[in-house]
Every structure is written in structure tokens, then in C-alpha cells.
Amino acid sequence: MEELLMRLAADARIQEAVAMATLDNGMHLFAYPLEQGMLIAVGIGPDTQIRPESVLSRRAGNLARYGAWLPAMFNDGSMYVLRRMVEHGDDMTVLPGDAFDAAEELLGD
């Protein structure tokens, strides 16, 4: 997952636009370049029946694990969790090994 994210981040930076991929489990991963750093997100489309309240409750129940991910619901009803990655020159902050597991858990049923 980290390799895919780094590739998406590089593409997003070059294109100065959102770069997105669909994961094997149907979730979406995207990278959006910021002036300093990169916004990354893991999410699910509007066709799922996840309730924002359940994501917020799950996050509040374990801020140590989930606190770095910020929930966001888009206009189309898709639900994402976002976090900012900081760039150091050409290097990107490395996410903890279980960061994507935590994001997927937040969005789980």
C-alpha cells in the first residue's frame, strides 16, 4: 500500500491534480498535492451505507489509533478519512505500518 501511495503522490505532484486508485477491497485511495505536503485519503463510494456517526464514534472511541485520520463526507455521499503527509525535500513522511489498517477499520461496517 505504501508503494502505491508513493506512486500516487508522485503522479499528483507532477500533474498538480488528484491521483486516485481503487484498492482490491473496493476502497479508494487518493493523493492531492498541497503547497507543502500531500493530502491523502482512503474512502468508500456513495453506494455503501456507512453512517458518518459510526465513523465519528469509532474515531472518538480510540483517538490514539484513529485520531490522525479526519473523517469527511463528500457531496455525493462518499465517505473518506484524510490525513496530511509532510514533504521533506523530495522525501515524504512515512506513515506508521498500521496507518492504512486503521483507516480501513474506521470505514468498516
Side-chain angles (χ1 to χ4, degrees):
M1 177 87 71
E2 289 82 10
E3 184 178 314
L4 173 59
L5 176 60
M6 290 302 125
R7 197 168 57 245
L8 286 176
D11 290 348
R13 181 65 63 210
I14 291 167
Q15 301 295 323
E16 296 184 13
V18 172
M20 182 181 282
T22 301
L23 305 175
D24 291 339
N25 62 7
M27 289 187 174
H28 306 283
L29 174 65
F30 79 70
Y32 178 77
L34 302 171
E35 188 173 317
Q36 294 183 357
M38 187 76 50
L39 185 67
I40 60 167
V42 177
I44 51 180
D47 53 331
T48 61
Q49 298 300 319
I50 191 164
R51 293 185 12 218
E53 297 85 4
S54 66
V55 174
L56 292 170
S57 176
R58 192 173 296 131
R59 182 176 182 267
N62 190 348
L63 283 176
R65 178 157 176 78
Y66 304 126
W69 291 102
L70 303 174
M73 179 172 260
F74 291 0
N75 285 340
D76 67 356
S78 58
M79 186 76 181
Y80 283 82
V81 289
L82 308 109
R83 80 187 277 168
R84 186 169 178 246
M85 292 178 59
V86 179
E87 292 174 307
H88 306 282
D90 290 336
D91 294 329
M92 191 78 64
T93 301
V94 177
L95 295 177
D98 65 344
F100 289 106
D101 291 338
E104 290 175 352
E105 289 168 15
L106 271 172
L107 297 169
D109 291 332

